[in-house]
Amino acid sequence: MLHLAWIIPLLPYTACAVLVFFGRALRERWGEKVGWIGVAGIAATIPFSLGCLVQLIGGAAAVDVVVPWGHVGHAAIQVGYAVDPLTAVMLCMVSIVATCIQTYSLGYMHGDARFERFFAYLSLFCGSMFLICLSNNFLMLYAGWELVGLCSYLLIGFWFERQSAANAAKKAFITTRVGDVGFAIGILILFGYAPSLLFADVF
């Protein structure tokens, strides 16, 4: 199960893609049952997350998979994923809590005109959280962080017709962008010293 951990973020990302491209048509056919696509996408991650945790508790070695991605000058850019005990605990927490949130949202969003869009955003948010948990390098960590920031903006400002929601979304967007600049500068400095973006190399 540890070597299948890369599937975990793909499940909510797949649910997001289905809802983005086919959500409106599916809602016309199924009504608000379309929200269960988002719930299923995140609930399906629970067996994988628990499986990773059980294996590690049982004495399995942590997994760290590295894949070459590109080059900057003479330095190789590598990406991948890692699953250790802390990662497994975080995966379980995100899986279970996010499933509860999405299930609750079925009732909370009842009757909303953009029902399927909300679950697409929520699925993208969950997948990005998993990406952060599984990353073994700063490049994927930064990508996950950016996607979580985007989802925060989309979800906070979901009811953009309300001025308060629109203002709150703008505040969240500006705040996270300021943090992103510092994050990116820090990554570039670390890469200049290492030169690698893998946690194992940098640390």
Side-chain angles (χ1 to χ4, degrees):
M1 193 66 76
L2 291 171
H3 289 282
L4 296 177
W6 58 271
I7 295 175
I8 295 175
L10 289 183
L11 293 169
Y13 280 151
T14 300
C16 174
V18 171
L19 289 167
V20 166
F21 293 109
F22 308 107
R24 183 170 296 181
L26 291 173
R27 185 179 181 183
E28 291 176 358
R29 179 178 298 182
W30 296 346
E32 292 190 352
K33 291 180 181 178
V34 71
W36 284 102
I37 294 174
V39 177
I42 187 65
T45 65
I46 294 177
F48 289 94
S49 299
L50 289 176
C52 291
L53 182 61
V54 168
Q55 275 191 283
L56 289 166
I57 291 174
V63 170
D64 193 349
V65 178
V66 176
V67 179
W69 187 69
H71 289 82
V72 175
H74 297 292
I77 303 296
Q78 297 172 306
V79 296
Y81 67 93
V83 186
D84 57 18
L86 177 59
T87 300
V89 170
M90 293 302 296
L91 290 175
C92 289
M93 185 183 74
V94 174
S95 295
I96 295 170
V97 173
T99 299
C100 293
I101 291 172
Q102 290 231 27
T103 304
Y104 173 80
S105 297
L106 290 170
Y108 183 77
M109 297 300 295
H110 175 68
D112 192 270
R114 297 186 297 272
F115 184 85
E116 68 283 353
R117 188 183 300 181
F118 179 84
F119 283 89
Y121 294 164
L122 209 52
S123 296
L124 181 62
F125 185 90
C126 295
S128 303
M129 287 293 293
F130 286 127
L131 187 63
I132 290 174
C133 291
L134 287 167
S135 296
N136 68 350
N137 61 91
F138 285 101
L139 182 62
M140 286 178 57
L141 179 66
Y142 188 76
W145 175 267
E146 286 293 316
L147 287 170
V148 165
L150 171 64
C151 294
S152 297
Y153 170 77
L154 294 173
L155 290 168
I156 293 171
F158 185 76
W159 288 301
F160 53 83
E161 302 91 344
R162 304 176 186 174
Q163 191 60 44
S164 59
N167 290 338
K170 290 176 185 176
K171 179 186 280 189
F173 183 81
I174 293 171
T175 301
T176 53
R177 292 295 74 76
V178 172
D180 293 345
V181 172
F183 195 1
I185 292 172
I187 291 173
L188 291 173
I189 292 171
L190 289 173
F191 183 74
Y193 277 97
S196 173
L197 294 177
L198 293 176
F199 295 155
D201 293 341
V202 173
F203 295 151

